[in-house]
Amino acid sequence: MENTGFYVIPNKTQYEIGERVWLEIKKTGPTKANHVIVSLFTYQGENLKMECTLEQGVYIPLAESISEKTGGYLVKIEFFQKTEKLGSCYTAFDVVNCWTEAPRYGFLSSFSEEDKQKEEYQEFFREMHLNVIQFYDWMYHHDEFYPESDIYTDIMGRKGSMTAVAKKIEGVHACGAKAIAYGAVYGAESFQKEHPECSYRYDNGEPMIFIDKIWLMDIHRGTAWRKRILQEYGKALEKGFDGVHMDQYGDPKEALILENGKYVIRDLADDFGDLINETKEKYPEKQLIFNAVNNWPVDSVKKSREDCVYIEVWSPNDTYRDLYRLIAHARGTKDEKRVILAAYLNPFKIEPERNLNGSTAQLAMATIFASGGYHLLLGEEGSVLTEAYYPDNCRIGEHSFRKTLKKYYDFITAYGGLLFPESWTDLTMQYAGGINSEFIFENVDWSPYPEAGKVWIQIYKRGREFSIRCVNFTGISDMNWNRTHEEFPQRVEKIKVKAKLPGEKKQIYVVTPDGEIQEPEEVYYKVKLGDDQRQEIIFELDKLLVFSVIYLRLE
């Protein structure tokens, strides 16, 4: 049962330890409801309830103790007229020490003079819990962020207003999110004319230029450009930005530079980490995100002082298995840096209506989230990224697809503890399939990797807890994540799970973003002694649409 007279969102996109959590109840139509019951759920099955009277536009404060520890919560609001239940709706929130523990990355890319008055993006960010926002191409020039006047024209010919930028920084902060300034590490316009010796060069000595507009500068320590870009980063941070999105273009990987009057080959991977570290040394309280384009050079930069691992995905990383592989590789060092994939969904640009009604986004999100990564996808007042130039995005509007996105983002906010912490270890290849017998799956064609026509199952372990992640590719033949998927996976029912594990006390719950019920559902199980004299815990996953996670705890 879904409420149509109200909807509920938190007053912030995320809360830090000690911040009071408030829920805003907004009226969307006629209703007779006069009071509500608020229930909070965790993936471990905890259920906290409170009851209060209802007023239009009311803010409901939750108990201060809720924000005394980190964690995510699903919120269910049930609406009543006296004792008659009229409907219900859901939202979610989480409590963290720092946003880097759960970076639900979003974007803004419009900073025109008209944008000074806009605030709709704040509600979208709160609705989707987008807690860190990249200000894409907000600046006047790549080598001169701030113009002399308020109104400016950027290198792509777009009009902008620095007052609008400042207002949006304030607006992002007002909804509890962080503002991150885009800044390419080596892009320049007029600076190249002043310092031609700083240009990266081709083998023929000609300067390297991107899209015939942006000259590429030598970033290694001691150059005039290195000093300049650090100054520009500093200006942005002094104006209220909380960090920098340090971009590069993936090409070149090596270039000629002028050194002591001679051209020498420079490996850019050697300089990126050093630039990140020097930026962090100058601004230790600010956060840095570096773009490892197509996973390059992720191995060197993830050792630096960047705060998250960010990978912009391009071909030949075309398949769902590639998305998993990128995240698994980046998480391999277990350094607690969360992984973000910028996997732009080009089908939403080419065929928006087919994809708004299809499973393209759900399959990509499910794959990324099940792998333990975050997805840069959403921004503005309600848009999906379709390409690397963010202004060319796909507007969602009030399409029903928005409800699907909300369920998925409620899911990762409430149940992120099941997916993202590095404390979870992937033991799929050691616990299931082949000679392994700890987990046996029946009534399902499954694979330990994303595979056409099968259910992809992963088993993660943390102490005596298990996170069993299921993504359904049954009926899906094309495993390219960046193509239109109009069809949905075929529903799979009654997946039988046999867990051969010791433990007297058992808890089993299943959570999914795909159904009408979003709270954890307790799973019935039975126990018997197997022929090999090992305890067998037997239960069923009743149905799998696209994405479900089973939580199993033993004591």
Side-chain angles (χ1 to χ4, degrees), residues 59-184:
Y59 280 88
I60 300 175
L62 301 185
E64 292 184 21
S65 59
I66 293 294
S67 60
E68 290 177 355
K69 62 178 182 178
T70 61
Y73 296 86
L74 183 84
V75 182
K76 183 178 183 179
I77 311 287
E78 297 171 285
F79 297 85
F80 291 86
Q81 183 189 30
K82 296 183 179 179
T83 59
E84 180 188 0
K85 183 176 176 180
L86 303 177
S88 61
C89 64
Y90 294 93
T91 187
F93 68 89
D94 63 344
V95 180
V96 297
N97 293 298
C98 178
W99 68 262
T100 56
E101 297 169 15
R104 296 180 292 274
Y105 210 8
F107 74 93
L108 286 169
S109 61
S110 182
F111 308 100
S112 67
E113 195 169 11
E114 293 75 25
D115 281 301
K116 290 188 290 190
Q117 309 303 323
K118 290 185 178 180
E119 296 182 348
E120 293 89 346
Y121 65 91
Q122 294 181 43
E123 190 159 311
F124 182 69
F125 294 169
R126 288 164 54 203
E127 180 184 358
M128 301 296 171
H129 322 293
L130 302 176
N131 62 317
V132 53
I133 308 301
Q134 180 189 150
F135 282 53
Y136 176 86
D137 270 11
W138 62 278
M139 64 284 178
Y140 168 51
H141 284 162
H142 289 74
D143 54 10
E144 187 181 356
F145 289 176
Y146 289 90
E148 294 182 359
S149 60
D150 177 55
I151 306 301
Y152 62 93
T153 301
D154 72 14
I155 194 170
M156 301 302 289
R158 293 194 311 152
K159 292 282 187 182
S161 161
M162 281 298 157
T163 301
V165 172
K167 287 284 187 183
K168 287 200 170 183
I169 293 174
E170 291 176 6
V172 165
H173 288 161
C175 62
K178 302 298 183 182
I180 305 296
Y182 173 94

Side-chain angles (χ1 to χ4, degrees), residues 167-230:
K167 287 284 187 183
K168 287 200 170 183
I169 293 174
E170 291 176 6
V172 165
H173 288 161
C175 62
K178 302 298 183 182
I180 305 296
Y182 173 94
V185 298
Y186 48 34
E189 287 97 314
S190 60
F191 185 87
Q192 188 271 343
K193 298 176 183 177
E194 303 165 20
H195 294 275
E197 77 282 359
C198 288
S199 289
Y200 286 137
R201 296 183 181 273
Y202 295 107
D203 295 341
N204 63 2
E206 288 297 311
M208 290 185 171
I209 307 175
F210 180 67
I211 61 170
D212 294 326
K213 296 175 183 288
I214 304 169
W215 277 259
L216 305 189
M217 300 286 104
D218 178 12
I219 65 169
H220 87 268
R221 192 178 287 262
T223 62
W225 171 254
R226 172 85 158 236
K227 181 179 179 181
R228 176 62 169 268
I229 193 60
L230 287 172

Side-chain angles (χ1 to χ4, degrees), residues 462-496:
R462 179 178 62 191
R464 297 290 290 145
E465 297 174 290
F466 293 86
S467 170
I468 305 169
R469 307 167 190 185
C470 306
V471 180
N472 189 9
F473 291 103
T474 306
I476 303 296
S477 57
D478 186 351
M479 295 299 282
N480 187 314
W481 61 267
N482 210 9
R483 289 186 185 153
T484 294
H485 290 276
E486 210 164 7
E487 75 286 4
F488 281 81
Q490 296 171 8
R491 176 178 172 138
V492 179
E493 297 183 343
K494 306 297 181 184
I495 299 175
K496 185 177 180 180

